[in-house]
Amino acid sequence: MTTPDGGVPDRMRVAVLDEPHRIGIEYRPTPIPAEGEVLVRVTAVGVCGSDVHYYEHGRIGDFVVTAPLVLGHEAGGRIVAVGPGVPRARVGERVAVEPGRSCGECSECTAGRYNLCPRMRFFGTPPVDGALCEYVCVLSRLAFAVPESISDDAAGLLEPLSVGIWAARKAAVTGGSSVFIAGAGPIGLVTTQVARAFGATEVVVSDVSEERLRVAQSFGATSVSGPGEGDGAFDAFIDCSGAPSAIEAGVRRVRPAGSAVLVGMGPDDLPLPLGVIQQREVRLTGTFRYANTWPTAIALTASGRVDLDAMVTAHFALAATEDALLATRKPGQIKVIVQPHVT
Amino acid sequence: MTTPDGGVPDRMRVAVLDEPHRIGIEYRPTPIPAEGEVLVRVTAVGVCGSDVHYYEHGRIGDFVVTAPLVLGHEAGGRIVAVGPGVPRARVGERVAVEPGRSCGECSECTAGRYNLCPRMRFFGTPPVDGALCEYVCVLSRLAFAVPESISDDAAGLLEPLSVGIWAARKAAVTGGSSVFIAGAGPIGLVTTQVARAFGATEVVVSDVSEERLRVAQSFGATSVSGPGEGDGAFDAFIDCSGAPSAIEAGVRRVRPAGSAVLVGMGPDDLPLPLGVIQQREVRLTGTFRYANTWPTAIALTASGRVDLDAMVTAHFALAATEDALLATRKPGQIKVIVQPHVT
Amino acid sequence: MTTPDGGVPDRMRVAVLDEPHRIGIEYRPTPIPAEGEVLVRVTAVGVCGSDVHYYEHGRIGDFVVTAPLVLGHEAGGRIVAVGPGVPRARVGERVAVEPGRSCGECSECTAGRYNLCPRMRFFGTPPVDGALCEYVCVLSRLAFAVPESISDDAAGLLEPLSVGIWAARKAAVTGGSSVFIAGAGPIGLVTTQVARAFGATEVVVSDVSEERLRVAQSFGATSVSGPGEGDGAFDAFIDCSGAPSAIEAGVRRVRPAGSAVLVGMGPDDLPLPLGVIQQREVRLTGTFRYANTWPTAIALTASGRVDLDAMVTAHFALAATEDALLATRKPGQIKVIVQPHVT
Amino acid sequence: MTTPDGGVPDRMRVAVLDEPHRIGIEYRPTPIPAEGEVLVRVTAVGVCGSDVHYYEHGRIGDFVVTAPLVLGHEAGGRIVAVGPGVPRARVGERVAVEPGRSCGECSECTAGRYNLCPRMRFFGTPPVDGALCEYVCVLSRLAFAVPESISDDAAGLLEPLSVGIWAARKAAVTGGSSVFIAGAGPIGLVTTQVARAFGATEVVVSDVSEERLRVAQSFGATSVSGPGEGDGAFDAFIDCSGAPSAIEAGVRRVRPAGSAVLVGMGPDDLPLPLGVIQQREVRLTGTFRYANTWPTAIALTASGRVDLDAMVTAHFALAATEDALLATRKPGQIKVIVQPHVT
C-alpha cells in the first residue's frame, strides 16, 4: 500500500447499525487496499432514504440486516493510498465513489448492464459494509476524479444524481421534452434538475406537500400540482414517489408512444391501467440503480447544469450519524450529509 | 371510375350486423372509388375475434355498435376499378388490404406511428363499415399488390400476420432470441410463426388447451407448457391471451432487461409484478394494431417464412357469414374465411 | 376562403429570381388557400445560404432554376385566411411555416421519415415557389402556432433551428455529451445552441475565421479552435462546414462508438478515414432537411433555451431582397431577414 | 490446477510463425490455467484470412509480428483442467473459445462495447499467442459450453459466425429485410447465412468469382450478381470484400434511411459517395470484431439456422499448419480447419 507522507491511521471510526434504531460508533482497522483498489479518506456521505429504511426496519425487501452493518453509499473523498497495480499518481485525487462493484464477467456485465449483475456488491446493502466511516477501499475504476468545482458534498451526491440520470435516459428525455414527475423528495428533485439539464422544456412535479412543491420550483420545475390533479399528454412520466395512486395517475398522463419510468420502489403488485398502456403503446419500465452514469454526473455538475450543493440542508459529524438519519424525516430537509472527519 | 371490360355490378351483397347475434344479407350500391381510391373485388375475408365480439356483445370497450355495421377487416381481393388520380394499370392487381385509414397529418402520422392516429378510420369498427361484402373501396396506398405465391386467403390473413409482426418488433425478437408466448389462439399462432421467422431459436407457447398446444408445435413452437408452469429467463414475453394470470406469470419469466409485450386486450386494470419490472428493468408495452407492416408481411409470406394457408380451417360463403362467426368458437378452428363471391 | 375583416389585397408583391444575379419585384395575384390550406401574411423570411447559391449559380446539384423562381423557405407570419376544411378560428394566429410538403402516402412518409419523401415539394426549390413575397398558402398542418414570446424573426428562423435539431438528434446529443462542430456559419451557430440546449457540456467549434469563433463562443461554444487543430475523443462530430478537410479531421476526433453527422453539403465524393470508422465503429450519417422538428423548435425557443433573435444581424424590405442576399456574404452577418410588409 | 484422470502432458506441440512464410512446429510447456482460467484441449482451429495475412506479410496495419507468434483464433475444444476459482464441474465440457480478453474495467467494457477495449488481448494478434497448438488457457467466461449438436469444427467456426452476427446486428437485419452483400469469401458466406437466419427474405451477393457466387446460392443467397451490376434499394448493404469499388457501388444501392456496414478491412482512405449518404441519410459504420455474440452463435448453430460444417472444405494436422494456410488461397476452399490432435 502506497500512502502519502502524512500517513493513514491504523484504526478508524465507523458508524455501525447494530440493530434497528441503534447506530453505534466503533473503531475498526483501517482497510488496506487490495490489488486494483484505492483507499479513500471519506469527506462526505449523503444519507439516502434506503439508509433510513434499514435503520428503521432492518430490511428492504429480500435484503435483511442479520449482522452489524455500515450504511452509506453516497460518498466523496480523497485518495490517500493505492493498492498494487494502481498508479501512485492517483494519491491525492479528489474523487466521487461509485458504490456498486459488479463482477465484470457475467452476461449482464459484458452487455453493459452491470447494474443488473447478480453478483453485484453494493455499499451499505447487507452483507456489504458502506461508507459511513473514515476510510473505504474501492476499486480504482470506481473512484472517479472530480474537479475543484465539485464540492465534497456534491461528490457524494453524484450517486443520487446518477439515479436521476438513469431515469432520464430510460425515459428518453431530450431537448423539448415534456416530463411529469411524481414525488418531490430528493430523487424527484434531482430528477427534475436532470430533466432540465437534458433539455426538457416542461417539467411538472406533483406531490402532497406544498412546501416540497415550492422547493421543486426552485430546482427547475416549470409547474407543480397536487397529486391526481390535471391531465395532459407528457412525453415521459417518471415516478419518484412509489405511491400506487401516483403511479396510476402518472401513467394515464403519458402521451401515445411516450414513456413511464418507475424509480421509486412501490408495492410488489401494482394495478396498472393496462388499457392506457395498450391503446397508447406506452413504454413502461423500472430502474434498478444505474450504469455508466458517473462521467455524465460529473459533467453536469462541474458545468453547473445541476446544483447539488443547493440540495444540502444539514451536516452532521460521524458521531451524530443517528441524528443525521433521523433528520431526514424532518420538514424542510432535502439531503443530509455526514462528514466523517469533522468533529 | 375506370373499370375492366367485364364491368362491376351496380349492386352488391353485404353482410350486415343489425344487432347483436343477428347478421343479415342486404343489397347495397357498389361503392364508387373516390380520388386516390381503388375498388377491390373481395375474394377472402378472415374472421377475427373482434368481429365475433361485436357480433356477440355489440361493443368493444368504448366502441359501440349503434347502427347496422359491416364487419370484417382481414381482406384480400383484386382491383377492379380505380378512382381519379390512380394509375389505370392497377386494375387487375391482386391485393391485400390494410384496413385502417389514418389522417396522414397529425403528429402521430407524421412521426410514423399512424396506428395511434386519433382520427383513424378502421374497417369494421363503428361507425366504419368493413369488408364482409363483395366490393370495398380503399385508398390506393392501402391496397398492396401481392404475388401469385400468396393465395387469396393468405392475402386476407396478412392482417393478423401484421399483428404478430408488430408484436415481434416491439419485443425486439431477433436471431437467437428466446420468446415466451402466452395463448395459442390465432394471434398466438401467427406470432409463433413470426418469432421463428425473425430468427428466434426458442419459442415456448403456453395455453390451457392441449389441442391448441399441439397446433402451436406444428407452427414452430420449440416447446409448450400449461399456463403457470415452468420458469425461465426469456428475452421476450408476448401475451396473446389477455388473461391476467398469464400476463403476471409471463412477466415473471422475462430475463433482466428483456421485453414484455401485451397484445391481447386484457382487463382495464391489471395487477403487475412491479418488483420484477423494477429489479430486472423489464420493458413492458402494449400493441395497438400496427404500422408499416404489409411489406414485411408480404415478404415473409411470399418467401414461405410463414404459412398462412395452414392456419385456415374453414371457408364460408357470404350468405353464411353468421355461421362463419359462430364457427370460430368451435374446437379445432383456427382461422375461418368468408369468400364473398363463392356461393 | 375565409378572411378577416380587414381583407387581403387581390395582388401582392413578390421577389422573383429571373436569372442568376437578378431579382425583380413583381405583382402577382394573392394566392387563395385550397382545401386544407391557410393563407399566411408573411412577416419575416430568413435568408439561407441555399437561397444565395441559387441566386449566384442558378442551381444546386440536380435542382436547376429553369424558370423564374421565388426564393425563401424560412418564414413566419400570421394566418389571414383559411381554405375549406380549416377551422375559422385559426385566422389571426401567429405562425411559423414548415416549408416542405410531403406526400403523406409513400413508404417514407408513413414511416415518419417524410424528409426523404421523393415527392416532397419544398419552398424556394425549383420548380416550387418560396416565401419571399407578401402572402403564401401552406397546408394548415405546416403552419405552427407560436406564442408571443417568439418574435416574427424567430418564427422564420425555426427553420434553420430545425436543421440543428435534426443534426443533434442524429448525433444522439444528450446530457453531458461532448460535441465537436466544424463550421461557425449560421448552421454551425444554431447547432451549437441546440447542442447546449440538449445538455452537451462540452461544445468545441472550429472555423477558419477568428471572428466567427468569437461569435460561436457567445452562442455557447465552450471552446474554439482553428481547423485541423487539437485532437480528442468527442461523443459526436457534426459537420456544418462542407469542407473535405474539416470532415476528415472531424471524423478522426470521434470517440469509439461515437457519431459523425454531416450537415453541410460537401463534394459528392469524399475521402473518408475508413480505418477510423472501422476500428472505432464510428456511426456516420448525413442529414437531409428534418422531420417532426417544429414542436421541439418552438419549445426550445419559447423557453429561452435557444436565442434566435441574437442571430439576426440585418433587416431588409422586400424591395431590397437582392441586397439582403448580397449582405449574407459580408463579414459580421449571421442571419439576414427580409420583412415583406416593411417598406 | 485440477485435471482429469487421464492427465495432461507437460509439453505440447505448437505451430509457430517464426518469420513471414515460415511456420515451424515446436514443443512448449503446456500452459497452466491461472485463477479464473480453464485449460482447453484444442480440437479444431479455423484458419482465417488474417492468419494468412500475418503469414504472408508479417503484419496487419499497426500490428507487426516482431517475435515468433502462434496464430489461430477460431478454436473449439474440451476443457481438461481448471484454475483456481473455476468449478471443477467444468472439466469435460466441450467448448467454443471467444478469443479476445478485454479488461472489463474501462469505459468501453463497462458500456458493453468490450470489442473496443483499448487493452484487448486477442489470440494470434501480436504479441498475444493464438490457438494453433494442442492446449490453450482462456478465462472461464470465454469458454462457452456447446451441445453435442455442434461439431468440433463448428465450435471453432462460431468465431467467424460472430463476425457475421455482429454485422447483421449493426445492419439491423430483421424479418423481411433485403440485404446486399459484397464479397462471397468466408465472411460473406457466413454473413449470408446470418442474414437469412435473422429473417432477411432477399439476400443478394456480389463477387467477381462465378464459382463463389454459386456457393453463395447454396448458403442462402436469393440471387447473385457480378460486381457493379444492378441497382436497387436495399435495407442494408454489408461489405465483406474490402474492395473500394464494391464499397462505393454498395453504398449507392442502399435505400433511404438504410444501413451500410463495412466488415472487410479496406484501404485506410476511401472515397465515399457523400451525396448519397446525405440525401438518403444512409447510416454507415464499420465493425471491429464483435461483442456478446457467442450465445447467439451457439443458438443459431445448434438449432440448424446456420450450417457451419458445410463451410469446411479441408482438414489438416497441426504439423501441416503451413499447408493449411496455403490451402486457403486455392480455388474451391472456403474454411480450412487445423486439428491439433490429429496426426
Side-chain angles (χ1 to χ4, degrees):
Chain A
M1 174 166 104
T2 309
T3 64
D5 295 343
V8 173
D10 290 344
R11 295 197 315 158
M12 66 172 185
R13 289 175 306 134
V14 181
V16 180
L17 175 66
D18 292 310
E19 59 183 64
H21 296 284
R22 201 176 77 189
I23 301 264
I25 303 298
E26 297 179 8
Y27 278 86
R28 291 188 181 178
T30 302
I32 297 171
E35 179 156 6
E37 289 186 341
V38 298
L39 181 68
V40 175
R41 182 178 186 275
V42 181
T43 49
V45 182
V47 176
C48 173
S50 66
D51 296 319
V52 180
H53 201 281
Y54 279 123
Y55 170 74
E56 293 178 343
H57 302 286
R59 68 184 303 158
I60 295 179
D62 296 339
F63 293 101
V64 182
V65 181
T66 57
L69 179 73
V70 182
L71 297 170
H73 56 269
E74 305 178 353
R78 188 182 294 269
I79 295 176
V80 291
V82 298
V86 179
R88 172 81 177 77
R90 292 215 68 183
V91 173
E93 272 184 20
R94 296 180 64 248
V95 295
V97 173
E98 179 168 352
R101 179 175 181 159
S102 49
C103 78
E105 303 212 331
C106 69
S107 59
E108 300 305 325
C109 283
T110 62
R113 303 185 298 251
Y114 63 75
N115 57 314
L116 302 177
C117 171
R119 286 183 279 172
M120 172 72 84
R121 290 174 59 82
F122 198 89
F123 267 25
T125 302
V128 181
D129 280 336
L132 278 167
C133 55
E134 292 185 299
Y135 297 91
V136 291
C137 283
V138 295
L139 282 181
S140 179
R141 70 174 170 91
L142 298 177
F144 290 83
V146 296
E148 287 303 317
S149 58
I150 295 183
S151 70
D152 289 349
D153 289 357
L157 298 185
L158 297 183
E159 201 275 348
L161 177 56
S162 284
V163 173
I165 290 168
W166 193 239
R169 288 186 188 163
K170 292 271 179 186
V173 177
T174 184
S177 289
S178 59
V179 183
F180 178 58
I181 295 173
I187 293 300
L189 294 174
V190 81
T191 302
T192 297
Q193 288 200 60
V194 171
R196 295 302 308 272
F198 274 50
T201 46
E202 184 182 6
V203 180
V204 179
V205 177
S206 76
D207 201 292
V208 292
S209 157
E210 288 196 13
E211 183 199 338
R212 281 201 292 265
L213 291 179
R214 276 191 298 274
V215 175
Q217 284 180 300
S218 76
F219 283 111
T222 55
S223 73
V224 296
S225 73
E229 294 173 10
D231 55 11
F234 291 86
D235 295 324
F237 162 59
I238 302 178
D239 179 66
C240 303
S241 76
S245 61
I247 294 173
E248 174 152 11
V251 171
R252 290 186 187 279
R253 296 177 75 171
V254 177
R255 70 156 166 81
S259 298
V261 174
L262 309 184
V263 180
M265 291 288 282
D268 197 54
D269 273 272
L270 179 76
L272 278 174
L274 186 62
V276 169
I277 291 173
Q278 288 191 310
Q279 286 163 38
R280 295 189 204 158
E281 295 192 343
V282 170
R283 294 171 288 117
L284 179 142
T285 193
T287 64
F288 189 69
R289 295 167 182 157
Y290 36 67
N292 303 299
T293 49
W294 257 257
T296 301
I298 291 169
L300 293 182
T301 307
S303 66
R305 293 298 183 103
V306 302
D307 185 349
L308 297 173
D309 291 311
M311 297 183 70
V312 176
T313 47
H315 291 85
F316 290 84
L318 187 69
T321 292
E322 195 155 2
D323 294 336
L325 291 164
L326 294 169
T328 63
R329 292 296 196 205
K330 294 186 182 159
Q333 295 292 355
I334 304 172
K335 288 301 294 185
V336 169
I337 300 285
V338 173
Q339 295 169 301
H341 291 275
V342 169
T343 50
Chain B
M1 176 165 104
T2 309
T3 64
D5 294 343
V8 172
D10 290 344
R11 295 198 315 158
M12 65 172 186
R13 288 176 307 135
V14 181
V16 180
L17 175 65
D18 291 310
E19 58 184 65
H21 297 285
R22 200 175 78 187
I23 301 264
I25 303 298
E26 298 179 8
Y27 278 86
R28 291 188 180 177
T30 303
I32 295 171
E35 180 155 7
E37 290 186 341
V38 297
L39 181 69
V40 176
R41 182 179 186 273
V42 181
T43 49
V45 182
V47 176
C48 173
S50 66
D51 296 318
V52 180
H53 201 281
Y54 279 122
Y55 171 73
E56 292 178 344
H57 302 285
R59 69 185 301 159
I60 295 179
D62 295 340
F63 293 100
V64 182
V65 181
T66 57
L69 179 73
V70 182
L71 296 170
H73 56 269
E74 306 178 353
R78 188 182 294 269
I79 294 176
V80 291
V82 299
V86 178
R88 172 81 176 77
R90 292 215 68 183
V91 173
E93 273 183 20
R94 295 180 64 247
V95 295
V97 173
E98 178 167 354
R101 179 174 181 159
S102 48
C103 78
E105 303 212 330
C106 69
S107 58
E108 300 305 324
C109 283
T110 62
R113 303 185 297 253
Y114 63 76
N115 56 313
L116 303 177
C117 170
R119 287 184 280 172
M120 171 73 83
R121 289 175 58 84
F122 197 89
F123 267 26
T125 301
V128 181
D129 280 336
L132 278 166
C133 55
E134 292 185 297
Y135 297 90
V136 290
C137 282
V138 296
L139 281 181
S140 179
R141 70 175 171 90
L142 298 177
F144 290 84
V146 297
E148 287 302 316
S149 58
I150 294 183
S151 70
D152 288 349
D153 288 357
L157 298 185
L158 297 183
E159 201 277 346
L161 176 56
S162 284
V163 173
I165 290 169
W166 194 238
R169 288 185 188 164
K170 291 272 179 185
V173 177
T174 184
S177 289
S178 60
V179 183
F180 178 57
I181 295 172
I187 293 299
L189 294 175
V190 81
T191 303
T192 298
Q193 289 201 60
V194 172
R196 296 302 307 273
F198 274 50
T201 46
E202 184 182 5
V203 180
V204 179
V205 178
S206 77
D207 200 292
V208 292
S209 157
E210 290 195 12
E211 184 199 337
R212 280 201 292 265
L213 291 179
R214 275 192 297 275
V215 175
Q217 285 179 301
S218 76
F219 283 112
T222 55
S223 73
V224 296
S225 73
E229 294 173 10
D231 55 10
F234 291 86
D235 296 324
F237 163 59
I238 303 177
D239 180 66
C240 304
S241 77
S245 60
I247 293 172
E248 175 152 11
V251 170
R252 291 187 187 280
R253 295 178 75 172
V254 176
R255 70 157 168 79
S259 298
V261 174
L262 310 184
V263 180
M265 292 286 283
D268 197 53
D269 274 273
L270 179 76
L272 277 174
L274 187 62
V276 169
I277 290 172
Q278 287 191 311
Q279 287 163 37
R280 296 190 203 157
E281 296 192 343
V282 170
R283 293 172 287 116
L284 179 142
T285 193
T287 64
F288 189 69
R289 294 170 182 155
Y290 35 68
N292 303 300
T293 49
W294 256 257
T296 301
I298 291 169
L300 293 181
T301 306
S303 66
R305 294 296 183 103
V306 302
D307 184 349
L308 297 173
D309 291 311
M311 297 183 70
V312 176
T313 47
H315 291 85
F316 291 83
L318 187 68
T321 291
E322 195 155 3
D323 294 335
L325 291 163
L326 294 169
T328 62
R329 292 297 197 205
K330 294 186 182 160
Q333 295 292 355
I334 305 173
K335 288 302 293 187
V336 169
I337 300 285
V338 172
Q339 296 169 301
H341 292 275
V342 170
T343 52
Chain C
M1 178 166 101
T2 310
T3 64
D5 295 343
V8 173
D10 290 344
R11 295 197 315 157
M12 65 172 184
R13 289 175 307 132
V14 181
V16 180
L17 175 66
D18 292 310
E19 58 183 65
H21 296 284
R22 202 176 76 190
I23 301 263
I25 303 297
E26 296 180 9
Y27 279 86
R28 291 188 179 177
T30 302
I32 296 171
E35 179 155 6
E37 291 186 340
V38 298
L39 182 68
V40 175
R41 183 180 187 273
V42 182
T43 49
V45 181
V47 176
C48 172
S50 67
D51 296 318
V52 180
H53 201 280
Y54 279 123
Y55 171 74
E56 293 178 344
H57 302 285
R59 69 185 302 160
I60 293 179
D62 296 339
F63 293 100
V64 182
V65 181
T66 57
L69 180 72
V70 182
L71 296 170
H73 56 270
E74 305 178 353
R78 188 182 293 270
I79 294 177
V80 292
V82 298
V86 178
R88 173 81 178 77
R90 292 215 67 184
V91 172
E93 273 184 19
R94 295 181 63 248
V95 295
V97 173
E98 178 167 355
R101 179 174 180 159
S102 48
C103 78
E105 302 212 330
C106 69
S107 58
E108 300 305 324
C109 284
T110 61
R113 304 185 297 254
Y114 63 77
N115 57 314
L116 303 176
C117 171
R119 287 184 278 172
M120 172 72 84
R121 290 175 59 83
F122 197 90
F123 267 25
T125 301
V128 181
D129 281 335
L132 279 165
C133 54
E134 293 185 297
Y135 296 91
V136 290
C137 283
V138 296
L139 282 181
S140 179
R141 70 175 170 92
L142 298 177
F144 290 84
V146 296
E148 287 302 317
S149 58
I150 296 183
S151 71
D152 289 349
D153 289 357
L157 298 184
L158 296 183
E159 200 277 346
L161 176 57
S162 284
V163 173
I165 290 168
W166 193 239
R169 288 185 189 164
K170 292 271 180 187
V173 177
T174 184
S177 289
S178 60
V179 183
F180 178 57
I181 295 173
I187 294 297
L189 294 174
V190 81
T191 302
T192 297
Q193 289 201 60
V194 172
R196 296 302 307 273
F198 274 50
T201 46
E202 184 182 5
V203 180
V204 179
V205 177
S206 77
D207 200 294
V208 293
S209 157
E210 290 196 12
E211 184 199 337
R212 280 201 292 264
L213 292 179
R214 275 192 297 274
V215 175
Q217 286 180 299
S218 76
F219 282 113
T222 54
S223 74
V224 297
S225 74
E229 293 172 11
D231 55 11
F234 290 87
D235 295 324
F237 163 58
I238 302 178
D239 180 66
C240 303
S241 76
S245 61
I247 293 172
E248 175 153 11
V251 171
R252 291 186 187 282
R253 296 178 76 171
V254 177
R255 70 158 168 79
S259 297
V261 174
L262 310 183
V263 180
M265 290 289 282
D268 197 52
D269 274 272
L270 179 77
L272 277 176
L274 187 61
V276 168
I277 291 171
Q278 286 190 312
Q279 286 163 39
R280 295 189 205 158
E281 296 192 341
V282 170
R283 292 171 289 117
L284 180 143
T285 193
T287 63
F288 188 69
R289 295 167 181 157
Y290 36 67
N292 303 301
T293 49
W294 257 256
T296 301
I298 291 169
L300 293 181
T301 306
S303 66
R305 294 295 182 104
V306 302
D307 184 349
L308 297 173
D309 291 311
M311 298 183 68
V312 177
T313 48
H315 292 85
F316 290 84
L318 187 69
T321 292
E322 195 154 4
D323 294 336
L325 290 164
L326 294 168
T328 63
R329 292 299 197 203
K330 295 187 181 158
Q333 295 291 356
I334 304 173
K335 288 301 293 186
V336 169
I337 300 285
V338 173
Q339 296 170 299
H341 291 275
V342 169
T343 51
Chain D
M1 175 166 102
T2 309
T3 63
D5 295 342
V8 173
D10 290 344
R11 295 199 314 160
M12 66 171 184
R13 289 176 307 135
V14 180
V16 180
L17 176 66
D18 292 310
E19 59 182 65
H21 296 285
R22 202 176 76 189
I23 301 263
I25 303 298
E26 298 179 9
Y27 279 85
R28 291 188 180 176
T30 303
I32 296 171
E35 179 156 5
E37 289 186 341
V38 299
L39 182 68
V40 174
R41 183 179 186 272
V42 181
T43 48
V45 182
V47 177
C48 173
S50 67
D51 297 318
V52 181
H53 201 280
Y54 279 123
Y55 170 74
E56 292 179 344
H57 302 286
R59 69 185 303 160
I60 294 180
D62 296 339
F63 293 100
V64 182
V65 182
T66 57
L69 179 72
V70 183
L71 296 170
H73 56 269
E74 304 178 354
R78 189 182 292 270
I79 295 176
V80 292
V82 297
V86 179
R88 173 81 177 80
R90 293 215 68 184
V91 173
E93 273 184 19
R94 296 181 62 247
V95 295
V97 173
E98 179 167 353
R101 178 175 181 160
S102 48
C103 78
E105 303 212 330
C106 70
S107 58
E108 301 304 325
C109 283
T110 61
R113 303 184 297 252
Y114 64 77
N115 57 314
L116 302 176
C117 171
R119 288 184 279 171
M120 171 72 83
R121 291 175 57 82
F122 198 88
F123 268 25
T125 301
V128 181
D129 280 336
L132 278 166
C133 55
E134 293 184 298
Y135 297 91
V136 291
C137 283
V138 296
L139 283 180
S140 178
R141 71 175 168 91
L142 298 177
F144 290 83
V146 296
E148 287 302 316
S149 58
I150 295 183
S151 71
D152 289 348
D153 289 357
L157 298 184
L158 296 183
E159 200 276 345
L161 176 56
S162 284
V163 174
I165 289 168
W166 194 239
R169 287 185 189 164
K170 292 271 181 187
V173 177
T174 184
S177 289
S178 60
V179 183
F180 178 57
I181 294 173
I187 293 298
L189 294 175
V190 80
T191 302
T192 299
Q193 289 200 60
V194 171
R196 295 302 306 273
F198 274 50
T201 46
E202 184 182 6
V203 180
V204 179
V205 177
S206 77
D207 200 294
V208 293
S209 158
E210 289 196 12
E211 184 199 338
R212 280 201 292 265
L213 291 179
R214 275 192 298 274
V215 174
Q217 285 180 300
S218 76
F219 283 112
T222 54
S223 74
V224 297
S225 73
E229 293 174 10
D231 56 11
F234 291 87
D235 295 323
F237 163 58
I238 302 177
D239 180 65
C240 303
S241 76
S245 61
I247 294 172
E248 174 152 11
V251 171
R252 290 186 188 281
R253 295 178 75 172
V254 177
R255 70 158 167 78
S259 298
V261 174
L262 310 183
V263 180
M265 291 287 284
D268 197 53
D269 274 272
L270 179 77
L272 277 175
L274 187 62
V276 168
I277 290 172
Q278 287 191 310
Q279 286 163 38
R280 295 189 206 157
E281 296 193 341
V282 170
R283 293 171 289 117
L284 180 142
T285 193
T287 64
F288 189 69
R289 294 169 183 156
Y290 35 69
N292 303 301
T293 49
W294 257 257
T296 301
I298 291 169
L300 293 181
T301 307
S303 66
R305 293 295 183 105
V306 302
D307 185 349
L308 297 173
D309 291 310
M311 298 183 69
V312 176
T313 48
H315 292 85
F316 291 84
L318 187 69
T321 292
E322 196 154 6
D323 294 337
L325 290 163
L326 294 168
T328 62
R329 293 297 197 204
K330 294 186 183 159
Q333 295 292 357
I334 304 172
K335 288 301 293 187
V336 169
I337 300 285
V338 173
Q339 296 169 300
H341 291 275
V342 169
T343 51

